[in-house]
Amino acid sequence: MLALPLIRRLLPTTARRTFTASAPRLNASSSNDQLKGERLIEAKLVETFSPCQVKVQDVSGGCGTFYAINISSQAFAGLSIVKQHRLVTEALKEEVT
């Protein structure tokens, strides 16, 4: 009979762990408030992609230099992640520069 530690090493693990991190928002009065930059970016993405889900979060601590964007849209169907990123970057070109 194999010892339990040896069995754990021999069997493949199937568990996946997702880690996320974000900085606290310094300029927001509550967690439901969106900063001006977040609203601007979200409006542009909604206009361009008609997403079924979009979330924009300022992860720079409220200064607006770095945003985390989660978006789901039929416009991305069948495209690689790189192509999806390029579409979003192109749509936000004026806001990013």
Side-chain angles (χ1 to χ4, degrees):
M1 182 171 190
L2 296 174
L4 185 56
L6 182 57
I7 292 173
R8 286 187 182 153
R9 281 185 265 149
L10 294 176
L11 296 176
T13 58
T14 58
R16 292 178 185 244
R17 295 184 181 163
T18 303
F19 298 94
T20 59
S22 64
R25 294 202 264 175
L26 302 177
N27 295 337
S29 59
S30 75
S31 62
N32 291 331
D33 289 341
Q34 278 189 312
L35 299 174
K36 181 180 177 183
E38 291 174 337
R39 287 191 305 268
L40 176 70
I41 290 171
E42 184 174 323
K44 183 72 171 189
L45 293 172
V46 168
E47 176 186 322
T48 306
F49 298 108
S50 302
C52 57
Q53 178 183 357
V54 63
K55 181 180 179 184
V56 178
Q57 183 180 12
D58 181 347
V59 293
S60 64
C63 65
T65 58
F66 191 76
Y67 293 90
I69 299 172
N70 292 316
I71 182 170
S72 297
S73 173
Q74 287 291 10
F76 303 131
L79 298 177
S80 70
I81 292 174
V82 172
K83 288 182 181 179
Q84 293 173 31
H85 283 225
R86 286 181 181 155
L87 284 176
V88 172
T89 302
E90 182 65 29
L92 300 174
K93 187 183 344 183
E94 290 182 23
E95 286 75 12
V96 174
T97 58

